[in-house]
Amino acid sequence: MISTARVPADKPVRIAFSLSDATDDTPPEDTIPLVFPELDQQLQPLPPCHDSVESMQVFKQHCQIAEEYHEVKKEIALLEERKKELIAKLDQAEKEKVDAAQLAREYEALTEENRTLKLAQSQCVEQLEKLRIQYQKRQGSS
């Protein structure tokens, strides 16, 4: 809401407004927010012509758009951070998947080696038993 009042010429004049459409009795802000530090220079709202209602409305819209722009930039930053986290999790999951596949291959190889060693052991046990029998036969015949 824009209000006007006659002010003596020797008194300084301050103009302020609220970006919200609410009409309240709070004192107006001391200054018009002319600077949005997160905006590039060419995107900064230009000061309004205080005598023109249309200029003030355009300035208000520009300030609201600047605030929305700031909120969108914050959201983009948060989403980019989340994206990095998800990529890291995906990389970790892929690494674990590769590790699991490698472990499965190692398990298969060790299982096969174990089977082969057990077979060799049983053959050695059989051969040892045959040699004992032969040795006992020689001992018994001599």
Side-chain angles (χ1 to χ4, degrees):
M1 172 181 197
I2 300 174
S3 61
T4 59
R6 280 197 149 318
V7 178
D10 62 322
K11 301 267 184 175
V13 176
R14 285 191 181 162
I15 299 175
F17 69 91
S18 170
L19 292 177
S20 67
D21 291 328
T23 57
D24 55 9
D25 293 334
T26 58
E29 296 177 15
D30 289 339
T31 60
I32 296 174
L34 295 176
V35 178
F36 289 85
E38 69 278 354
L39 287 180
D40 294 337
Q41 181 62 35
Q42 70 269 15
L43 298 177
Q44 291 285 332
L46 298 175
C49 175
H50 300 292
D51 297 334
S52 169
V53 172
E54 183 181 6
S55 177
M56 293 297 287
Q57 288 174 343
V58 169
F59 179 74
K60 274 174 111 174
Q61 287 175 335
H62 198 167
C63 289
Q64 289 171 342
I65 291 169
E67 288 176 5
E68 290 172 12
Y69 176 78
H70 177 67
E71 291 300 316
V72 168
K73 281 185 75 169
K74 282 187 349 187
E75 187 174 347
I76 288 171
L78 290 173
L79 290 172
E80 286 176 347
E81 185 62 33
R82 178 70 175 141
K83 176 184 170 185
K84 287 178 186 177
E85 291 171 6
L86 290 173
I87 287 173
K89 281 184 179 180
L90 180 62
D91 289 344
Q92 182 64 29
E94 287 176 356
K95 183 181 181 291
E96 289 172 1
K97 185 178 177 181
V98 168
D99 290 346
Q102 176 65 27
L103 288 173
R105 285 190 297 272
E106 288 178 22
Y107 176 79
E108 289 298 321
L110 290 172
T111 301
E112 180 60 27
E113 183 180 357
N114 189 22
R115 189 188 64 74
T116 303
L117 290 173
K118 283 182 179 180
L119 179 62
Q121 183 213 15
S122 68
Q123 289 173 348
C124 288
V125 167
E126 286 177 21
Q127 189 177 11
L128 179 61
E129 198 55 42
K130 287 179 184 177
L131 289 173
R132 279 189 184 147
I133 292 171
Q134 287 176 357
Y135 180 74
Q136 287 176 354
K137 284 183 183 178
R138 280 193 214 162
Q139 290 293 329
S141 61
S142 40

